[in-house]
Amino acid sequence: MFFDSHTHLNDPCFDEDREAVIEKIKAAQVSGMLNIGCCHASSVDCIAMAETYDWVWAAIGTHPDTADEVDEALIEVYRGLCSHPRVKAIGEIGLDYHYETIPREIQKRAFRLQMELAKELNMPVVIHEREAHGDAMEILYDFPTVTGVFHCYSGSLEMAKELVRRGWSIGFTGVVTFKNARKAVEVASWVPLDRMLIETDCPFMAPEPHRGKRNDPSYVPLVAQRIAELRGLTAEQVAAATTQNAHALFRLDE
Ligand code: NI
């Protein structure tokens, strides 16, 4: 059984055929997923979905692309949402300097406020970090008791080693199946099996041979298959380890 640790199944692009997609997910032996909020509104949607399906859990938080919505009042709202029994992580939060539609200082402030909440509530976080490695690490160093997963990991092997040493897990998407995925492949070949998560990040990042199309959690076995090839394991071994890791990191059984 596979666990997809990063999905956006509440995305409007699934409104037309979500029930059909859910049937497809079950047929693909995907037994659980963590559905991730990107802003206040989508976080509320994630909780509603986690209330509907007993194999879906929610993470709530604000992505760097909408960091300008984060203020003390929203943190207060998030503090309340975190007491919901189906909310298992704060995320996705972090920094994204690729487009920089939101100024860096605003992104950093939103990231810090949400890390502070994770620290206070002792909850794991889901990190989105793109082209902001140095600044992201600097903020992590200020919160040594907070850990979680770096999702769709895009950093160096050195940085992955530092994260693992500090107790973090690393999440891999369909990027590991892409022909030009040199860095992600290098890191996926190294990360200790008990610190690895697999994810689709659907509807984005569809693995080969579906690259460029709408992604959904039924494709997460393709990520496991590729990692298994890289490490000389079976897809079942990768599936079992990453499912167990997700349950442990997000305390799904508590
Ligand atoms: Ni995401």
Side-chain angles (χ1 to χ4, degrees):
M1 292 301 228
F2 300 87
F3 191 97
D4 188 342
S5 61
H6 195 111
T7 66
H8 302 285
L9 203 65
N10 52 305
D11 189 282
C13 76
F14 293 110
D15 286 352
E16 289 283 298
D17 62 344
R18 190 170 287 106
E19 284 307 316
V21 171
I22 284 169
E23 289 310 309
K24 206 176 145 206
I25 295 168
K26 288 182 172 165
Q29 308 294 312
V30 177
S31 60
M33 58 185 226
L34 187 66
N35 209 32
I36 314 279
C38 293
C39 61
H40 178 211
S42 66
S43 293
V44 170
D45 289 346
C46 285
I47 295 175
M49 188 167 285
E51 285 172 338
T52 308
Y53 304 100
D54 65 1
W55 50 279
V56 178
W57 289 268
I60 61 134
T62 297
H63 187 286
D65 285 355
T66 47
D68 54 345
E69 74 169 5
V70 177
D71 56 15
E72 305 287 351
L74 183 58
I75 294 298
E76 196 52 44
V77 171
Y78 281 168
R79 185 177 286 112
L81 294 181
C82 283
S83 66
H84 191 290
R86 305 292 295 173
V87 173
K88 296 299 185 182
I90 294 177
E92 52 188 297
I93 62 174
L95 302 174
D96 192 325
Y97 293 171
H98 186 69
Y99 296 114
E100 262 187 270
T101 41
I102 305 286
R104 293 184 181 195
E105 287 312 311
I106 293 176
Q107 292 191 33
K108 285 189 207 173
R109 178 167 185 273
F111 186 21
R112 282 186 180 278
L113 283 170
Q114 294 178 97
M115 286 291 282
E116 193 67 54
L117 184 63
K119 177 183 163 186
E120 173 198 322
L121 300 178
N122 187 29
M123 285 179 75
V125 293
V126 177
I127 302 290
H128 171 103
E129 182 272 306
R130 190 177 183 196
E131 296 173 25
H133 307 317
D135 283 0
M137 293 304 281
E138 200 179 299
I139 290 174
L140 294 195
Y141 291 152
D142 288 342
F143 296 91
T145 60
V146 178
T147 61
V149 59
F150 258 62
H151 114 87
C152 194
Y153 187 74
S154 63
S156 65
L157 181 60
E158 291 65 40
M159 183 170 132
K161 287 182 175 173
E162 171 74 353
L163 286 167
V164 166
R165 198 177 64 74
R166 290 178 161 266
W168 287 78
S169 299
I170 311 283
F172 296 96
T173 58
V175 167
V176 294
T177 69
F178 297 171
K179 281 197 183 68
N180 55 351
R182 191 184 52 78
K183 261 202 306 191
V185 161
E186 186 187 20
V187 178
S189 304
W190 173 80
V191 171
L193 201 54
D194 64 352
R195 294 299 186 79
M196 176 181 276
L197 296 177
I198 54 172
E199 53 173 274
T200 56
D201 197 18
C202 70
F204 318 105
M205 299 287 174
E208 294 288 5
H210 308 288
R211 189 173 182 180
K213 303 206 183 88
R214 187 184 74 174
N215 196 5
D216 75 62
S218 73
Y219 295 153
V220 83
L222 295 168
V223 178
Q225 182 59 49
R226 176 65 178 136
I227 291 174
E229 282 166 25
L230 291 171
R231 306 183 64 120
L233 299 169
T234 64
E236 289 71 26
Q237 287 172 311
V238 173
T242 52
T243 297
Q244 190 184 344
N245 297 343
H247 277 258
L249 176 60
F250 302 119
R251 301 177 203 137
L252 300 183
D253 306 311
E254 286 176 18

